[in-house]
Amino acid sequence: MTAQARALLAAVAAMLTAGCVSAVGGTAVRPVPGLDDDSRSPVDVDTVLLETAQMQAITGAGEALTIIPSMDGKIPVDIEPLMEQMPEQCAWLFAESQTFGDEVEEFHKTTFQNPPDGGLISQGAAGYRDAPTARRAFDGLVALVDGCATTDYGPAYIGEWAMTPDGVHTRPGDCGRDYRLKSAVLVEVTFCAFTESVPDIVMTNILAKVPG
């Protein structure tokens, strides 16, 4: 990694640390309609995400695992201060409008924290009007992952990554992102400071609730 890359990594790390104790500004992209008000998605994504009690049981954190109040939303969010500090090829890591594409019909993402162990885990789902549209969004995401991974910043922000016909995951350090495509839904699970089995179980349980 170049000196410039190391400096940027340090700057972003500092911003992320600050974000744990203060609000980070973000711009919500276009409002996403719900299934009952003009959404063309055949799947109501609210119904596929797991309840808090399920997340507490899967993570083993019990009642220590709670939803971060400001991070339970139904609109994709771009965190512009962090995007501006990233190389262009990796800015999508803080831009949900890029991660999930511009054809989202409905969206819901919830982030949980486990303060005693410093753990974070999120579950999110985007619904599209049909399976081909969801496939297009997934293919775009894979291209974004590859684009960042092949830069000098790839080892820090993407780490080891792998893909299957319907999935892609990244593993920078003890954090990770998992994405899976099923029918007209693209599911995301992100985590830090949890064992590999935890996001796998979360993803499996979400996908089991997606029809098709």
Side-chain angles (χ1 to χ4, degrees):
M1 183 182 294
T2 66
Q4 181 183 8
R6 286 193 295 271
L8 180 54
L9 177 59
V12 173
M15 293 182 72
L16 286 170
T17 302
C20 294
V21 295
S22 61
V24 176
T27 300
V29 297
R30 73 173 181 88
V32 182
L35 189 64
D36 296 330
D37 49 1
D38 300 329
S39 170
R40 294 173 293 176
S41 173
V43 179
D44 180 353
V45 298
D46 289 338
T47 67
V48 306
L49 296 184
L50 306 186
E51 299 291 338
T52 297
Q54 292 175 282
M55 294 292 288
Q56 291 172 337
I58 291 171
T59 60
E63 294 184 357
L65 188 81
T66 58
I67 295 174
I68 300 175
S70 61
M71 300 184 72
D72 181 14
K74 300 190 67 173
I75 300 174
V77 172
D78 295 349
I79 306 176
E80 294 173 354
L82 294 181
M83 291 174 62
E84 292 169 358
Q85 294 296 318
M86 299 290 283
E88 181 180 357
Q89 301 94 323
C90 303
W92 65 271
L93 289 163
F94 298 105
E96 290 172 349
S97 64
Q98 296 182 35
T99 302
F100 294 96
D102 59 4
E103 297 182 276
V104 175
E105 293 291 329
E106 54 184 83
F107 179 84
H108 194 173
K109 181 174 179 177
T110 305
T111 302
F112 299 81
Q113 61 183 343
N114 178 27
D117 295 327
L120 292 171
I121 187 165
S122 74
Q123 56 170 348
Y128 302 84
R129 65 176 176 267
D130 52 34
T133 305
R135 168 64 64 180
R136 190 158 53 243
F138 173 75
D139 291 344
L141 171 61
V142 171
L144 290 173
V145 173
D146 182 61
C148 181
T150 54
T151 70
D152 289 339
Y153 304 87
Y157 298 127
I158 300 297
E160 295 183 2
W161 73 284
M163 63 169 291
T164 66
D166 297 315
V168 61
H169 75 252
T170 69
R171 291 294 184 271
D174 66 347
C175 298
R177 292 171 174 244
D178 292 345
Y179 296 91
R180 288 284 298 277
L181 176 68
K182 183 177 180 182
S183 183
V185 177
L186 179 57
V187 179
E188 175 196 75
V189 176
T190 73
F191 67 96
C192 280
F194 283 102
T195 61
E196 287 277 341
S197 62
V198 169
D200 287 347
I201 296 171
V202 171
M203 180 66 78
T204 298
N205 278 269
I206 294 174
L207 291 174
K209 300 173 73 174
V210 178

